[in-house]
């Protein structure tokens, strides 16, 4: 698949089949992530691939985070909410937690480390699409909870930036539109002279 076609046709695929994805394909997706641009060649990305029962700990942490917001976690409603959170990682056969571990080098700008990891995530989403897989990048407040750092044994400066859920698509990609380029781009060609 041509890269421009992949960019234009990739969609977030939130429903996938409960069908094993070969590790070889996941390795290709991970490698695509490692080819993202990275200032000072710091390669600040970290990937945690969860399959099978390896997804359970993530579900437990999501439930623990959700429990903090519940008035009564022991109520029937509370138990249902927590069970739903525990099941989230099982919506796809593969979940990749993507984290940033910023370099300690003084010349490195931390924002650029985050940008590099976000670029890695986009590479991974495009690779999954090109390989015929469906993927969705999920984020939200639980990503940034300190318990996520603990789960993935990140440094104090490390941070989970999202979860990529991957599997074989079980839905038609939604039709999307984007603003025309002329609405979001400004061309600065020549300096005007008075």
């Amino acid at each position: 698949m041509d890269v421009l076609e992949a960019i234009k046709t990739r969609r977030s695929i939130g429903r996938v089949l409960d069908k094993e994805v070969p590790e070889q394909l996941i390795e290709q997706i991970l490698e695509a992530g490692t080819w993202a641009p990275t200032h000072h060649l710091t390669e600040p990305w970290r990937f945690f691939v969860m399959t099978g029962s390896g997804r359970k700990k993530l579900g437990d942490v999501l439930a623990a985070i959700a429990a903090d917001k519940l008035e009564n976690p022991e109520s029937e409603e509370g138990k249902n909410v927590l069970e739903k959170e525990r099941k989230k990682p099982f919506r796809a056969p593969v979940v990749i937690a993507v984290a940033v571990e910023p370099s300690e080098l003084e010349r490195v700008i931390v924002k650029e480390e985050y940008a590099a990891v976000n670029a890695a995530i986009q590479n991974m989403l495009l690779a999954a699409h090109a390989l015929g897989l469906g993927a969705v990048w999920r984020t939200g407040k639980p990503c940034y909870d300190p318990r996520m750092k603990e789960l993935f044994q990140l440094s104090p400066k490390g941070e989970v930036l999202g979860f990529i859920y991957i599997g074989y698509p079980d839905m038609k990609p939604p039709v999307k539109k984007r603003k025309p380029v002329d609405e979001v781009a400004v061309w600065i060609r020549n300096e005007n002279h008075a």
Side-chain angles (χ1 to χ4, degrees), residues 113-166:
E113 300 285 81
Y114 279 69
V117 177
N118 289 327
I121 291 170
Q122 176 68 349
N123 278 8
M124 295 166 76
L125 294 170
L126 290 170
H129 175 54
L131 293 168
L133 296 167
V136 62
W137 175 14
R138 298 197 183 273
T139 59
K141 287 184 180 181
C143 286
Y144 317 119
D145 189 281
R147 285 167 280 200
M148 285 298 172
K149 285 187 188 199
E150 282 179 41
L151 177 61
F152 298 109
Q153 299 178 350
L154 299 175
S155 75
K157 290 175 76 175
E159 187 107 58
V160 173
L161 298 187
F163 303 97
I164 303 175
Y165 286 68
I166 300 172

Side-chain angles (χ1 to χ4, degrees), residues 73-93:
E74 295 302 317
S75 69
E76 195 61 37
E77 183 183 343
K79 287 178 182 178
N80 288 339
V81 168
L82 298 182
E83 186 58 25
K84 185 178 176 185
E85 292 296 317
R86 280 190 191 88
K87 288 182 177 179
K88 281 185 176 180
F90 293 89
R91 294 181 289 192

Side-chain angles (χ1 to χ4, degrees), residues 17 34-35 63 69-71 89 91 108 110 136 156 174 188:
L17 299 171
T34 68
W35 285 101
K69 297 178 188 160
L70 296 175
E71 193 172 301
R91 294 181 289 192
V108 170
V110 173
V136 62
I188 304 170

Side-chain angles (χ1 to χ4, degrees), residues 6 12 21 30 40 43 48 61 81 92 122-123 133 136 142 152 191:
S12 293
V21 178
L30 294 168
H40 301 296
E43 301 184 47
F48 304 89
V61 172
V81 168
Q122 176 68 349
N123 278 8
L133 296 167
V136 62
F152 298 109
E191 188 176 333

